[in-house]
Amino acid sequence: MSTDDRAAVTTGIARLHASPGLAGPGRIGLVTNHTGVLPDLRPAAPALLDAGMRLVALFGPEHGLHGTGQAGESESAWADPATGLPVHDTYRCDGERLDELLLDSGVDALVYDLQDIGARFYTYVWTMFDLLVSAARTGVRFVVADRPNPLGGLVSEGPLLDPGWASFVGRAPMPVRHGLTCGEVARLLNASIVPQVAGTEADLTVVEAAGWRRAADAEATGLPWVAPSPNIPTPATATVYPGTCLFEGTNLSEGRGTTQPFEIVGAPYIDARFAPALAELALPGVHFRDLRYVPTFHKHAGRPLRGVQLHLTDREAFAPVRTAVAMLATLRRLYPDDFAWRSADRGAEGTGHRHFVDLLWGSDRLRRTVDAGDDPLPLCDPPGPPGRWAGDDVLLYA
């Protein structure tokens, strides 16, 4: 794609940098990490200070302010050497504890600027939700500096989460691939779930990403790509992630510990049958290559594995959730004695615990359907495109 073919997008944080008054008066806390950059890659926090915004604190999500933490990790609270501002760790912090953190920080408003990737189980939006709830309870204003959804905003996939399966990888009814920006998610949650938890809506403002259109994916925006977390290195990784993240709930490696996380999956028991069986499905927009690899960490670290790499041939036709679900059904059929689900208790295998794939999927229907040998693909049908399932009044972009 040439530069001329790309959209001219101005992120919400770039608009705030140009007009700091959009955040309102008072002491401002910035919820951010290494993805919180201007289009020229300057970190937002020092740039906003230079522009005159009254920043007094920083708040980091999973993976930490600098993105050094692996999955399920963050960074310790400390002072940011670039700005001298205190850094508060919000990961796994909610309820009264998060309320106290906001009150102790002395902020009058929070500005949220994190790059999401459009999958319900990516935790940044749930950090936003928890902070929205606390902001509503404590009277702190909440400003979302919006960014484009890197998968585009025309398509959703998968069922709405069943509230009985709510967790930090999904707290509210949304499809697996939701098709919204963070600003749109905030509007949806603030009008529905936040009042149920906090008793009132938060004082919410969304600073829109000017120039974005729903058909534009990450590469069409013209914005620089900053890996949102250690295992989402490229836009291609983000594209497959809403599907292959489901492999976190199985005994297969999802490619962590390699240079192509989520683009490759494998296990010690996979053999030459897997890639051809997937090719026979003729899934749109993707080819499967048989491969062998050795992860350096995470599942099966140091062990030779066999599996497949997903090679995207048509990103618009590719359906990540349907593709991954078809792969799971194929694994159960080919390797019934070896394929297994992992429990949500630290990912351990076994019974007596909730299965992690159920939390990712938002119910136990996928696991039970695959185990029964029934066709799971109908489960992937969403409740409609973003404007239908979320409501057109939530959408900010055409």
Side-chain angles (χ1 to χ4, degrees), residues 61-122:
E62 183 181 9
H63 309 296
L65 183 69
H66 293 117
T68 63
Q70 280 291 334
E73 299 177 357
S74 59
E75 296 167 346
S76 300
W78 51 302
D80 174 33
T83 60
L85 298 176
V87 179
H88 303 283
D89 181 15
T90 69
Y91 183 50
R92 298 188 183 277
C93 181
D94 58 11
E96 292 183 3
R97 183 173 160 222
L98 190 55
D99 294 352
E100 292 174 1
L101 188 152
L102 282 190
L103 292 170
D104 290 345
S105 71
V107 301
D108 300 303
L110 288 174
V111 170
Y112 176 94
D113 180 37
L114 294 169
Q115 178 62 68
D116 186 45
I117 63 171
R120 184 182 66 216
F121 30 65
Y122 206 64

Side-chain angles (χ1 to χ4, degrees), residues 46-309:
L48 292 174
L49 281 172
D50 290 344
M53 185 176 287
R54 192 181 173 190
L55 283 185
V56 298
L58 304 177
F59 298 81
E62 183 181 9
H63 309 296
L65 183 69
H66 293 117
T68 63
Q70 280 291 334
E73 299 177 357
S74 59
E75 296 167 346
S76 300
W78 51 302
D80 174 33
T83 60
L85 298 176
V87 179
H88 303 283
D89 181 15
T90 69
Y91 183 50
R92 298 188 183 277
C93 181
D94 58 11
E96 292 183 3
R97 183 173 160 222
L98 190 55
D99 294 352
E100 292 174 1
L101 188 152
L102 282 190
L103 292 170
D104 290 345
S105 71
V107 301
D108 300 303
L110 288 174
V111 170
Y112 176 94
D113 180 37
L114 294 169
Q115 178 62 68
D116 186 45
I117 63 171
R120 184 182 66 216
F121 30 65
Y122 206 64
T123 62
Y124 291 170
V125 294
W126 305 118
T127 289
M128 180 177 69
F129 170 73
D130 290 342
L131 286 166
L132 269 170
V133 170
S134 282
R137 285 196 292 236
T138 59
V140 171
R141 300 191 319 278
F142 202 95
V143 180
V144 176
D146 212 9
R147 291 177 175 271
N149 184 321
L151 307 184
L154 294 176
V155 178
S156 55
E157 280 190 89
L160 297 178
L161 175 139
D162 181 332
W165 297 90
S167 72
F168 195 54
V169 291
R171 294 216 193 276
M174 293 167 53
V176 174
R177 175 183 177 183
H178 52 72
L180 304 180
T181 68
C182 285
E184 292 172 333
V185 171
R187 283 161 58 92
L188 172 70
L189 297 176
N190 198 46
S192 56
I193 312 298
V194 170
Q196 297 177 23
V197 180
T200 185
E201 294 184 11
D203 181 358
L204 172 66
T205 299
V206 178
V207 180
E208 298 176 29
W212 186 65
R213 297 293 180 263
R214 307 200 77 82
D217 64 10
E219 293 183 334
T221 64
L223 296 171
W225 176 260
V226 177
S229 56
N231 291 293
I232 309 291
T234 69
T237 319
T239 301
V240 300
Y241 176 84
T244 51
C245 182
L246 295 170
F247 284 86
E248 290 188 358
T250 74
N251 63 351
L252 278 84
S253 158
E254 64 275 8
R256 293 183 189 274
T258 76
T259 60
Q260 295 171 302
F262 299 108
E263 295 182 62
I264 62 178
V265 298
Y269 55 82
I270 300 297
D271 57 23
R273 295 176 291 164
F274 189 39
L278 295 177
E280 289 178 4
L281 300 177
L283 295 164
V286 62
H287 288 163
F288 297 94
R289 181 176 67 88
D290 180 56
L291 88 160
R292 293 167 174 81
Y293 66 99
V294 180
T296 59
F297 64 88
H298 204 57
K299 285 187 273 184
H300 307 300
R303 299 183 66 184
L305 307 181
R306 190 168 187 173
V308 295
Q309 179 179 353

